[in-house]
Each structure stands twice: as structure tokens, then as C-alpha cells.
Amino acid sequence: MAKYKIAWLPGDGVGNDVMDAAKIVLDKFALDAEYTHGDIGWEFWKTEADPLPPRTIDLLNNSDCALFGAITSLPKEECENQLVPELKGKGHVYASPIVRLRQEFNLRTNLRPCRAYDGNPLNYKDGIDIVVFRENTEDLYSGVEFHPVPDEVREVLKKHNKKMGRFDSTAADDMAMSLRINTRKACTNIITDAFELAKKQGRKSVTVVEKPNVIRETSGLMVRTAREVAKKYPSIELWETNIDAMCMWLIKNPMDYSVLVTSNMFGDIVSDLCAQLVGGLGFAASGNIGDKLAVFEPTHGSAPKYAGQFKVNPMAMLLSVKMMLDWLDETDKAGTLDNAIASVIKEGKVKTYDMGGSNTSLEVAEAVAAKL
Ligand code: IPM
Ligand code: MG
């Protein structure tokens, strides 16, 4: 039996392209792993009204971790239109399978390292090295939403908050509500993970990125929890920055920041900003990490127009493979892969179109594999 069971989830669009690139590198390592394909994505929404079918959940329950390509997510109305005729009008509601995976398997930590590799022509500034910790299961992604807002919800809220009175004259259908729900437990976990990484890697600061001056309760809970957790790490400074100002400071002085920790929605946004500082989504890797399972994926989407063209930069995927190897405690292999990636970037000979080259995703993966 192989040492590791890895679920192989290409998903949609260029997900397949970058997964093929990942396989080139993993095969070169001859990692003692069994890879099992899992169905996930748009095709299964259209034909089964379920982009994350139960058989894939079973597969993940029996895997050590998963590598995931990309997913197509569309707004509500367009989803219904694309169902096969026999499934239309039956009340099926599309939910992003990656968001579901994060919640159903409690993959509570979204880890997004953003490092500017030397020689990357797309770096905003050389030397940037930021790690974003994004809470991955709650917040505005909790899925508690209303439109129209039912009377009983309005009544309950009105009882607890006078400010609801302001909306008395607004019809239920003229109002939508998405609740931001954050728990102390999730705040504590994500902040602790951020400090632990800072400690392990000798980083001097952790910045909690929120907006407690306005969003007093949910952002407030994050910041208050950060102050508590920080007491256990006296050698690491806790900085508190509002999300809006953070976006500005990251453009102005990106070198000042090291570890960022934030809630789900702000983390989604600020991690794209950080990705752009180090070359864009072609370099943005991520790990969705829980206690029993972890799912590694490039942060980019499925880019349907490029699907099957092997055009997109596979580095984000290869960096996700690196994160997976780290998580499996294959730290030597992870380090070797990181060095190989760094040296292909530095040499600048084999590169995809975004970096000004014309190589395919697979050629880039082969260049990396050749250095292992
Ligand atoms: C990400 C993506 C997802 C998210 C989408 C595809 C649901 O933007 O992983 O950052 O919002 O979390
Ligand atoms: Mg995102």
C-alpha cells in the first residue's frame, strides 16, 4: 500500500492543465502516493445538480490530503440556467464546492504565502515575503443570507437592535441580508496558527487586519482575541491595521509586513492583493488546512477561455504541491521543489506568457522537474 492517499481533484477549466503540470513534478519525486480522481465542479452541477457529489466526500474521508485545480463559480441566476432540462426548476441551489469543502471538513485555516522570487519580472518589489492567514469557514461566508428578508428575522433583529427601525419602510423584497458570523474559537485558531508560524520561521510581527472601529462586534472579536493570543508570544509584535489602510500600506511599504491574519472575506480580498505584489495569481498558492484533511490549490480561478491550452502559469500549482509536501512532513522534498522553482524563475529561460515567455504550462513543469 502506498504511504499517502491523495485525492486528485482537477475541477474545471485550466484546473486540468495545472494538475497535469503538478503530476510531472510529483512523478519525478516518485512520491510514494496513490492518487485517486475525484469528481468536482461545473460538469457535476449541470448534470447532477451537485458540484461536490457524495462520492467525492467519501473519497476525501479516505484521503490524507487533496490536490485541487480550479472551480467555476457563477452568480445565482446563471447557475439555474445551465442545469440539464430535467433538473431545472426543482429548487436546486448552487453552492461553491470549494467553500463547501472548507466548511464540511472544517479546513479552518487558509494559508496563502506570497513571496517574491528573485528574478520574477512580475514582482512589484523584490524581497516581498508575506504570509496571509485567512479564516476559512465563517464570517460573510457562513451562508446565512436572506432575500427577501422574512418578517420573523426582521422582528427578532429589531428586538435586539434599534438600528433595524431605520429599515421599517423597506419592503422585504427590497432588502437583502448576509450575516457576518465569527466565533471566538475560529478567531483563536486562526490567530494561533499565525503566531505559531511566525515563531517557527522567526518572523518578528503578526498583523491582524480587520475594521473594529466600524464593525465593532465581529472585527472587534478578532482584534480582542488577537490581543489575548499575542500574550503567549512576547517576542513577536502584534500590529493592528484596518483593512482599508492595509491595502494602502501594502502598496506603499510591502516590505514592512510579514504575517497577516484576518477573517474570511477580508482574507479573500487582501490575499489577491498580496498575490499581485509577487507576480499575480500565477504565483499564488494556498492550503486549506484542517485537523484531519488538507486541500491544496492554486488561488486562481478556472479561466475557461484558456482551458486545455496549457497556457497558464503552473507555478501557483507547483507551489501548492510544495505546500502539500510540507504538510505531509516531506520537508526535504518541499525544500528541493522550492529551490527548483526559484531557480527556474531566476534563470528566466522557461516561462509562460504572463512572464513574457511562450512556454506551455507543461514545459515549465518539466523545467522544474529537471532540477529536482
Ligand atoms: C478564493 C476564491 C474563492 C473564495 C471562490 C472561488 C469561492 O476567490 O479561494 O480566494 O472566495 O474563497
Ligand atoms: Mg479569492
Side-chain angles (χ1 to χ4, degrees), residues 71 73 96 98-99 102 112 134 141 268 297 299:
I71 220 77
S73 291
S96 164
I98 184 65
V99 174
R102 291 168 183 167
R112 299 189 154 174
R134 166 187 179 189
Y141 281 65
D268 182 40
E297 52 155 347
T299 306

Side-chain angles (χ1 to χ4, degrees), residues 85-102:
E86 54 278 25
L87 292 171
K88 274 194 185 132
K90 299 237 164 89
H92 296 295
V93 180
Y94 182 85
S96 164
I98 184 65
V99 174
R100 263 183 69 198
L101 271 183
R102 291 168 183 167

Side-chain angles (χ1 to χ4, degrees), residues 209-211 241-251 257:
V209 184
E210 284 295 330
K211 185 82 186 181
T241 307
N242 287 342
I243 177 70
D244 51 342
M246 187 77 246
C247 293
M248 188 189 67
W249 288 118
L250 282 169
I251 301 294
Y257 297 93

